[in-house]
Amino acid sequence: MRKLWINAEFVDGGRDPGRAINPATEETIGEYARGGLVQTDQAIRAAKDAFPSWRRVPAGERAALLHEVARRLRESQEQLAMELSLETGRSIHKNRGYVEWSAECFDYYAELARHYRGRVIPSPEASQLSLVLKVPLGVVGAIIPWNYPLLLLVWKLAPALAAGNTVVVKPATYTTWVSLGYHRLFEHFPPGVVNFISGSGGEVGEYLVKHPDVRMIAFTGSTEVGQHIMRLAADDMKHIHLELGGKDPLIVCADCDLEGAVGAAVWAGFLNAGQVCTSVERVYVDREVYDPFLDGVVALTNKLVVGPGTDPESEVTPMIRPNEREKVAQQVQEAQSKGALIHTGGRIPVDKTKGFYYEPTVLSQVTEEMLVMQEETFGPVLPVVPVMDFEEALLRSNHSQYGLGATLFTSDPKKVKRYMEEIEAGNVWVNDPLVDNLAGPFGGMKRSGIGRELGQEGFEEFFETKHVHWEINGGMKPWWFPWDK
Ligand code: TAP
């Protein structure tokens, strides 16, 4: 059974163990300790006690420890990728890439930490020194979703540790087993700097958010829980960083490479069974190319291999749980009842008696009022909508409560210029969706979140900023009391 890891020691959960389920087979793959408030308290205390000495570790030494995490990730790539496939159901082929990318993220922040602590700014007088000083915040609570349990953990942990914070990690319940194995990556750190707890979000997660010794909450998950966290964090004025849901549009212009647009829509709509925060969830296509585009998308979707992530041939993998699949099915049914046309999919595959599969689904004749166009679907469903032109597509893309990612397919630089400036999304892709960049800040606008991960901006989130004014000469100043001095 996998245990909690607090102050560099294994800790029991004090409750009945949890069972890790393989979404492709419904089999139990392992057990994990389920923690509660006692263990969460213990972890926060360990992180608090470790902070004063961890913050003073020289940047070079800290960088070496982070590079060692990268080395350990690469060394265990195959095992880590397989465990991810077992518990998330996702493609082993993609998971290998995510492990490597996680290693690169640690390497990136190790080097950033070596070079950055703030800056010197101009002073009013020659005898003065003015600094913008960046100091770590203290204990960071990292709350992680189930869809990318390693990558989204790393996007928080690497910059938080590089900045000199200590961390308590609370994984999602569905992916606790794989996450409690990650302590192996941090065994060379001083005790208490990284701690892994477990337990339900509503109990343990909320306790972490409310705890006065936690100075920052770095959260990825649903908009609903993010809003709740923001309210709770207000009491202590905690720093918060929220990466939330999305309803990403894809605009297909008549002047684009149509084959590329078809491939991109299918890829970005059905990767990880649509359980990507930046999945394409709405497609707006210029009427001129609507028919060939839709035909192309349906034809390509029909060729996709649906199967378990542990099989490298599988392209569309299972969803995480039957209740998540049910939410998707309900959106599709609602759309169909209001006149939407299902071109392919829209059901549980008949040949899959085990596993939480849902067929990749292409819809047309959808209207903006349907749930499938309004709410995050988080499943393999692609609604395709004809539009008059780019202007209409842009307008409809922005007509959403979300603003996470967006993609434009065009060969017209004038449209690209308008789009990059006016689309209401934090991640803007042109002719190539879902490409993230370690140096490029990732995050959302509107109800998709606050703050950014990755890049220099993602590093800044984990610091407190101070302005330091230093008069080197000392002595009385003419503007002090008494006035006539
Ligand atoms: P949530 O249900 O929001 O859960 C996310 C995390 O928050 C889990 O660890 C969960 O623990 C915990 N949690 C739940 N209630 C909490 C509370 N009251 N206080 C503190 N923590 C709480 O999301 P999910 O279902 O795991 O993930 C899917 C959602 O995440 C989608 O909306 C998706 O768009 C979003 N997401 C966004 C991004 C980015 S980068 N924007 C990336 C991936 C996913 P339990 O598992 O124990 O409930």
Side-chain angles (χ1 to χ4, degrees):
M1 183 174 67
R2 294 196 172 173
K3 296 190 175 181
L4 286 65
W5 200 65
I6 299 171
N7 214 16
E9 285 178 2
F10 292 114
V11 172
D12 287 322
R15 295 173 176 193
D16 292 343
R19 279 190 316 123
I21 308 288
N22 181 343
T25 61
E26 304 181 29
E27 286 164 3
T28 300
I29 51 173
E31 290 191 332
Y32 58 84
R34 285 192 310 125
L37 303 189
V38 173
Q39 295 79 8
T40 308
D41 235 3
Q42 219 178 319
I44 296 170
R45 206 171 332 116
K48 188 182 177 193
D49 292 348
F51 177 62
S53 44
W54 175 245
R55 71 179 300 169
R56 287 196 289 269
V57 170
E61 262 178 58
R62 214 181 285 150
L65 292 169
L66 294 175
H67 282 308
E68 172 61 13
V69 179
R71 194 195 65 74
R72 290 177 182 217
L73 278 160
R74 292 191 176 102
E75 183 184 65
S76 325
Q77 185 182 32
E78 201 52 36
Q79 185 197 344
L80 291 168
M82 182 50 82
E83 287 190 0
L84 277 168
S85 289
L86 287 173
E87 200 173 24
T88 65
R90 229 181 30 209
S91 156
I92 178 81
H93 170 65
K94 293 303 298 171
N95 285 336
R96 288 187 190 115
Y98 293 132
V99 175
E100 170 54 29
W101 203 33
S102 299
E104 286 171 21
C105 190
F106 271 99
D107 284 336
Y108 174 81
Y109 280 110
E111 290 310 306
L112 214 53
R114 265 190 219 278
H115 297 112
Y116 186 72
R117 268 303 297 283
R119 62 189 198 278
V120 179
I121 57 172
S123 303
E125 304 286 337
S127 62
Q128 297 166 351
L129 187 65
S130 291
L131 306 171
V132 175
L133 188 64
K134 298 283 178 174
V135 296
L137 295 161
V139 179
V140 173
I143 303 181
I144 316 297
W146 47 261
N147 63 338
Y148 287 90
L150 175 63
L151 198 65
L152 296 177
L153 166 71
V154 167
W155 284 13
K156 294 168 181 45
L157 256 184
L161 295 171
N165 301 285
T166 55
V167 186
V168 176
V169 178
K170 157 42 200 135
T173 296
Y174 294 158
T175 47
T176 302
W177 177 77
V178 72
S179 306
L180 291 183
Y182 296 149
H183 71 85
R184 292 191 300 267
L185 305 170
F186 301 96
E187 280 167 332
H188 57 296
F189 274 62
V193 172
V194 184
N195 306 275
F196 288 89
I197 60 171
S198 71
S200 88
E203 184 194 18
V204 159
E206 213 162 303
Y207 187 74
L208 195 58
V209 175
K210 289 198 258 185
H211 200 291
D213 290 337
V214 175
R215 288 308 316 147
M216 175 178 180
I217 292 292
F219 170 83
T220 300
S222 61
T223 294
E224 197 186 19
V225 175
Q227 288 167 325
H228 184 59
I229 286 177
M230 194 167 175
R231 288 184 200 107
L232 293 178
D235 281 347
D236 284 333
M237 290 288 169
K238 282 191 202 340
H239 286 240
I240 48 167
H241 170 235
L242 305 173
E243 294 288 354
L244 310 177
K247 189 79 201 162
D248 288 12
L250 162 67
I251 298 178
V252 179
C253 298
D255 56 39
C256 80
D257 177 329
L258 201 63
E259 192 191 355
V262 166
V266 173
W267 152 253
F270 302 139
L271 175 70
N272 196 17
Q275 301 167 116
V276 183
C277 51
T278 48
S279 289
V280 165
E281 296 209 355
R282 298 177 285 155
V283 189
Y284 296 111
V285 190
D286 192 306
R287 276 185 199 285
E288 214 180 303
V289 291
Y290 176 75
D291 286 337
F293 176 83
L294 185 58
D295 290 348
V297 164
V298 173
L300 191 56
T301 302
N302 284 333
K303 286 190 201 146
L304 295 175
V305 179
V306 179
T310 47
D311 179 349
E313 299 297 312
S314 299
E315 290 164 323
V316 180
T317 48
M319 297 194 60
I320 193 79
R321 286 292 183 276
N323 51 320
E324 306 295 335
R325 176 175 63 181
E326 187 48 34
K327 281 188 221 157
V328 173
Q330 278 175 12
Q331 283 195 9
V332 172
Q333 278 156 19
E334 192 247 14
Q336 195 181 19
S337 72
K338 290 183 173 165
L341 213 62
I342 300 177
H343 291 262
T344 184
R347 56 179 192 171
I348 294 171
V350 282
D351 63 331
K352 298 275 186 287
T353 51
K354 287 277 178 195
F356 314 130
Y357 294 93
Y358 191 78
E359 284 187 353
T361 301
V362 182
L363 302 177
S364 73
Q365 297 187 23
V366 289
T367 55
E368 295 291 345
E369 309 75 57
M370 293 174 182
L371 292 178
V372 80
M373 293 295 283
Q374 292 280 329
E375 293 186 1
E376 186 178 43
T377 304
F378 224 56
V381 180
L382 206 56
V384 185
V385 182
V387 287
M388 289 305 294
D389 53 17
F390 168 71
E391 295 299 327
E392 184 190 346
L394 183 59
L395 202 72
R396 290 174 76 156
S397 294
N398 283 341
H399 184 68
S400 169
Q401 58 179 320
Y402 296 108
L404 188 55
T407 305
L408 171 68
F409 261 77
T410 187
S411 57
D412 179 358
K414 289 202 284 297
K415 290 194 187 100
V416 174
K417 171 91 169 40
R418 278 271 323 274
Y419 177 75
M420 68 168 84
E421 285 171 3
E422 294 180 27
I423 188 77
E424 293 167 3
N427 310 291
V428 181
W429 293 292
V430 181
N431 297 329
D432 195 7
L434 302 197
V435 177
D436 300 324
N437 178 338
L438 285 175
F442 180 99
M445 295 167 64
K446 302 196 277 189
R447 290 192 185 186
S448 291
I450 290 181
R452 293 291 180 268
E453 295 193 299
L454 299 181
Q456 177 77 30
E457 288 79 359
F459 195 35
E460 300 271 353
E461 299 273 341
F462 292 96
F463 288 105
E464 192 66 79
T465 301
K466 293 181 179 178
H467 170 226
V468 180
H469 167 79
W470 179 6
E471 169 57 70
I472 294 157
N473 288 341
M476 290 292 283
K477 299 291 170 210
W479 57 86
W480 292 357
F481 299 127
W483 294 123
D484 57 354
K485 184 137 185 165

